[in-house]
Amino acid sequence: MAFSLHQFMSAVSGLQGQVPGFNTDAVVMVSIIVLLLLFSVQRFGTGKVGFMFAPILGLWFINLSSIGIYNIVKYDISVVRAFNPAYIYLFFQTNGMKAWSALGGCVLCITGAEAMFADLGHFSVKSIQVAFTAVVFPCLLIAYMGQAAFLMKNPLAVERIFYDSVPGVLFWPVFVIATLAAMIASQAMISATFSCIKQAMALGCFPRIKIIHTSKKIMGQIYIPVMNWFLMVMCIIIVATFRSTNDIANAYGIAEVGVMMVSTVLVTLVMLLIWQTNLFLVLCFPILFGAVEFAYLTAVLSKIREGGWLPLAFSSLFLCIMYTWNYGSVLKYQSEMRGKISLDFILDLGATLGTVRVPGIGLVYNELVQGIPSIFGQLLVTLPAMHSTIVFVCIKYIPVPYVPLEERFLFRRVGQKDYHMFRCVARYGYKDVRKEDHGFFEQLLVESLEKFLRREAQEIALETSTMEAERDDISVVSEVPQSPASEGDLRTPLLSDQRSGDDNRMGTRDDSAPVLPSSSMSAEEDPALEYELEALREAMASGFTYLLAHGDVRARKESFFTKKFIINYFYAFLRRNCRAGTATLKVPHSNIMRVGMTYMV
């Protein structure tokens, strides 16, 4: 954010020496207007506004190198001697502590350009390497050498060195290109912020907020409305408050050096744990780069009072939010895992689940892919009756644009057949409509469940026929139990349970029922399947009820005061104000039933 503001105000401040009466107030007003324009177009997506990135950046770097060459040739070509590293030693020997303090300003000379390429994350590693080596680094080097040559003849122009070194006839074209380049660099930083927030959410380190994918082909092109408007408001407040590029530059310098040091630590870990590089080389990397970065860090830390506190304050705020959300979410998940209901307990209750089964389909929303959530036990205790068909629904988002409707739901049976309980994973792509009509959702779910039941019956019949054929081939006569798929017994376990060790419970078909291929199996030839499909249709005719948990997370009484404060107040506040996790359908309130539950962590 500090980088974007510094770029904007630096570009706009060029009008101060060109337009009479254009003072600091005018710079602030124009910068705010440009910021409003920039953040207003974010909703169209990077792909919509990114078509002008390459040509504008190309013109920007061509202008930098051309003006630099012009100044070198016109004012002092001897600046090329700066390539001699001995001048570094002479500079520190001559200026002492002033030279160390000057390193804080040098940070801005070696950073910022990476935002135009790497922060967008839409380019390959090779393209970034070629761009930096062949374009960015040479052009920036020539531009700074040209400004140094200009200062050799005009030492008092240090405050406006960039625009003063531009030939008068080229001022307005360069001003327009510089402003557009600043907008593009700021666009890169905004896109990078969106990407970081999305990754933090995926890792469970940030509260759930709305994410809009603006591209059907590139998953990384996203738009987060809440963060967009938050950044806009913060940028306007900072510009109106600081009113100076120097303080904003100090803030940006500290943020950039901090990113450098964190990157060095992370790359060292990658070299050690993933690349498994030689230990000597692993130690040389942080020693070499860390020493240089530490020298810059000590220089920029002296600017904390002059605007450097800004990134430290924002980073502390976001660190508290991310840590609190991750800490509370982990404790809540661990509580859910401990409170899972065992399948043996459900089987002990019997097909009635220890209550009355009434017609209807109950959709129990939860976040567990495996196991029976504790909220189901709360439902059994709280409700006087339970629906004849229970479906545990878990919504998952996968990294593809669309999920075909025939692949939307994955089903698995929970318990035995006469329990009529199923687990369903509803899969959505990042471009799928998540607030679809509840009627369409229910119809699709039932159709998919019917297909699952038919496929399950076909697989059981095929496996049974295969076992019979094997017995006939080896002419082994054995005692075979009655088929559990007969009309009077619906307690056949899951196919997966049979394959895991319950094959002895699989019987042969009745002699009067011919063995058919799985592709031609029909409900009329499988009474158990017909019975279950009919029960499903009756439940659907009685309607759907969405069973949701209204969970409250509280710290245990014996917990420390710090934990109680974080969980009971800060984490609870974030949960109340973040985006709902599973209530994504347009469901009438009359079809929703919420059950209160407290997670003691």
Side-chain angles (χ1 to χ4, degrees):
M1 182 170 63
F3 170 72
S4 304
L5 300 180
H6 181 261
Q7 291 287 338
F8 271 121
M9 297 193 70
S10 297
V12 176
S13 63
L15 296 175
Q16 283 185 298
Q18 189 73 17
V19 178
F22 198 88
N23 53 17
T24 303
D25 293 337
V27 172
V28 172
M29 291 302 300
V30 173
S31 299
I32 291 176
I33 292 174
V34 177
L35 285 172
L36 289 172
L37 176 64
L38 175 66
F39 284 102
S40 298
V41 300
Q42 293 302 312
R43 66 179 185 273
F44 298 111
T46 306
K48 300 292 190 303
V49 299
F51 69 94
M52 60 181 180
F53 280 18
I56 291 178
L57 287 180
L59 287 174
W60 171 244
F61 285 115
I62 290 174
N63 280 335
L64 287 179
S65 58
S66 301
I67 295 172
I69 293 174
Y70 169 80
N71 288 326
I72 292 173
V73 174
K74 180 178 180 180
Y75 294 104
D76 191 354
I77 198 172
S78 65
V79 294
V80 296
R81 291 184 298 176
F83 284 107
N84 186 351
Y87 285 102
I88 299 177
Y89 172 77
L90 294 176
F91 177 73
F92 280 91
Q93 184 183 40
T94 304
N95 297 280
M97 292 297 294
K98 292 182 179 180
W100 170 79
S101 180
L103 289 177
C106 295
V107 171
L108 300 180
C109 299
I110 61 175
T111 60
E114 78 280 357
M116 302 178 186
F117 294 93
D119 288 345
L120 276 175
H122 300 155
F123 301 90
S124 64
V125 175
K126 193 67 176 179
S127 64
I128 295 175
Q129 291 173 341
V130 172
F132 266 81
T133 305
V135 180
V136 178
F137 181 72
C139 291
L140 291 176
L141 193 61
I142 294 173
Y144 288 128
M145 290 173 60
Q147 293 178 16
F150 182 83
L151 287 174
M152 296 292 289
K153 302 297 184 182
N154 305 277
L156 299 180
V158 66
E159 293 293 336
R160 284 175 34 89
I161 177 59
F162 175 74
Y163 283 108
D164 286 348
S165 63
V166 175
V169 69
L170 297 178
F171 173 83
W172 287 108
V174 171
F175 172 78
V176 173
I177 295 175
T179 304
L180 293 176
M183 294 182 66
I184 291 174
S186 301
Q187 170 66 45
M189 298 302 295
I190 296 171
S191 300
T193 302
F194 293 162
S195 298
C196 290
I197 294 297
K198 180 178 181 296
Q199 293 300 322
M201 290 175 57
L203 295 173
C205 297
F206 200 84
R208 294 182 297 267
I209 55 179
K210 183 178 182 179
I211 297 178
I212 299 176
H213 291 265
T214 58
S215 173
K216 297 181 180 179
K217 299 180 180 179
I218 303 177
M219 185 179 179
Q221 294 187 6
I222 59 176
Y223 168 64
I224 305 180
V226 174
M227 288 306 302
N228 182 68
W229 304 125
F230 172 79
L231 290 175
M232 185 190 73
V233 172
M234 290 296 102
C235 286
I236 293 176
I237 292 176
I238 292 171
V239 168
T241 303
F242 280 34
R243 304 172 60 87
S244 171
T245 58
N246 292 332
D247 291 344
I248 297 178
N250 293 332
Y252 170 57
I254 290 180
E256 197 64 45
V257 175
V259 171
M260 289 180 178
M261 298 198 68
V262 172
S263 299
T264 299
V265 174
L266 294 179
V267 170
T268 302
L269 293 177
V270 170
M271 293 174 65
L272 183 63
L273 302 178
I274 299 179
W275 298 344
Q276 297 183 352
T277 311
N278 182 275
L279 183 60
F280 175 76
L281 296 178
V282 173
L283 294 177
C284 289
F285 178 80
I287 291 175
L288 177 61
F289 287 90
V292 176
E293 292 164 359
F294 182 76
Y296 280 110
L297 179 63
T298 56
V300 297
L301 286 179
S302 63
K303 307 292 185 182
I304 289 182
R305 293 184 178 181
E306 302 172 7
W309 58 268
L310 180 65
L312 300 179
F314 272 96
S315 59
S316 300
L317 173 63
F318 278 93
L319 177 62
C320 290
I321 293 175
M322 295 173 67
Y323 175 80
T324 301
W325 182 260
N326 179 259
Y327 179 66
S329 299
V330 169
L331 291 180
K332 178 177 178 294
Y333 180 77
Q334 292 175 349
S335 177
E336 288 181 343
M337 294 298 294
R338 289 193 303 266
K340 284 196 307 182
I341 302 175
S342 66
L343 184 58
D344 293 336
F345 175 76
I346 297 297
L347 296 178
D348 291 340
L349 293 177
T352 61
L353 298 178
T355 182
V356 179
R357 303 293 293 269
V358 296
I361 298 179
L363 303 181
V364 182
Y365 277 74
N366 65 101
E367 298 181 0
L368 297 180
V369 178
Q370 295 181 348
I372 301 175
S374 56
I375 182 61
F376 186 64
Q378 189 74 5
L379 290 170
L380 293 177
V381 174
T382 305
L383 301 181
M386 186 54 61
H387 302 81
S388 59
T389 300
I390 302 295
V391 182
F392 299 100
V393 181
C394 178
I395 295 180
K396 293 295 181 181
Y397 302 109
I398 56 180
V400 296
Y402 297 99
V403 175
L405 294 180
E406 61 272 13
E407 301 177 10
R408 174 63 50 82
F409 300 108
L410 297 178
F411 285 95
R412 183 182 179 186
R413 188 185 295 276
V414 178
Q416 299 176 356
K417 280 193 173 183
D418 56 347
Y419 283 66
H420 303 292
M421 296 171 58
F422 306 90
R423 176 170 302 285
C424 171
V425 178
R427 303 182 298 175
Y428 288 85
Y430 58 83
K431 289 294 290 182
D432 277 321
V433 178
R434 292 144 194 204
K435 291 187 177 181
E436 55 195 354
D437 180 71
H438 71 99
F440 175 78
F441 174 84
E442 295 164 359
Q443 181 68 29
L444 182 63
L445 185 142
V446 172
E447 291 177 358
S448 301
L449 182 55
E450 288 184 354
K451 293 179 182 178
F452 165 77
L453 295 176
R454 294 180 185 277
R455 185 169 60 251
E456 180 191 50
Q458 291 172 1
E459 291 177 355
I460 293 176
L462 180 61
E463 188 168 307
T464 303
S465 62
T466 302
M467 293 171 60
E468 289 180 347
E470 291 177 354
R471 293 192 184 97
D472 293 340
D473 291 341
I474 61 178
S475 300
V476 176
V477 179
S478 61
E479 182 179 357
V480 181
Q482 292 297 321
S483 171
S486 60
E487 184 175 1
D489 188 1
L490 297 179
R491 294 181 178 271
T492 303
L494 277 176
L495 181 59
S496 58
D497 295 336
Q498 297 168 353
R499 292 174 178 172
S500 63
D502 293 337
D503 291 337
N504 59 332
R505 299 181 63 181
M506 180 64 67
T508 58
R509 301 180 55 85
D510 190 271
D511 294 338
S512 61
V515 177
L516 297 176
S518 62
S519 59
S520 59
M521 175 65 67
S522 63
E524 290 76 7
E525 292 156 342
D526 188 347
L529 174 61
E530 173 60 25
Y531 175 84
E532 195 162 17
L533 291 178
E534 185 62 28
L536 178 62
R537 297 187 187 101
E538 291 180 0
M540 181 182 177
S542 299
F544 288 76
T545 301
Y546 293 77
L547 305 174
L548 308 178
H550 185 67
D552 186 20
V553 182
R554 307 288 294 179
R556 292 191 175 96
K557 293 182 178 180
E558 63 272 15
S559 302
F560 291 107
F561 171 78
T562 306
K563 180 179 179 180
K564 290 182 178 179
F565 177 78
I566 293 176
I567 297 298
N568 297 348
Y569 296 98
F570 199 7
Y571 180 69
F573 173 80
L574 294 177
R575 278 178 57 85
R576 287 194 301 268
N577 293 276
C578 74
R579 188 175 177 83
T582 56
T584 57
L585 305 177
K586 295 180 178 179
V587 183
H589 292 289
S590 58
N591 291 17
I592 296 178
M593 183 177 297
R594 295 185 181 272
V595 178
M597 185 170 182
T598 301
Y599 298 93
M600 302 303 297
V601 299

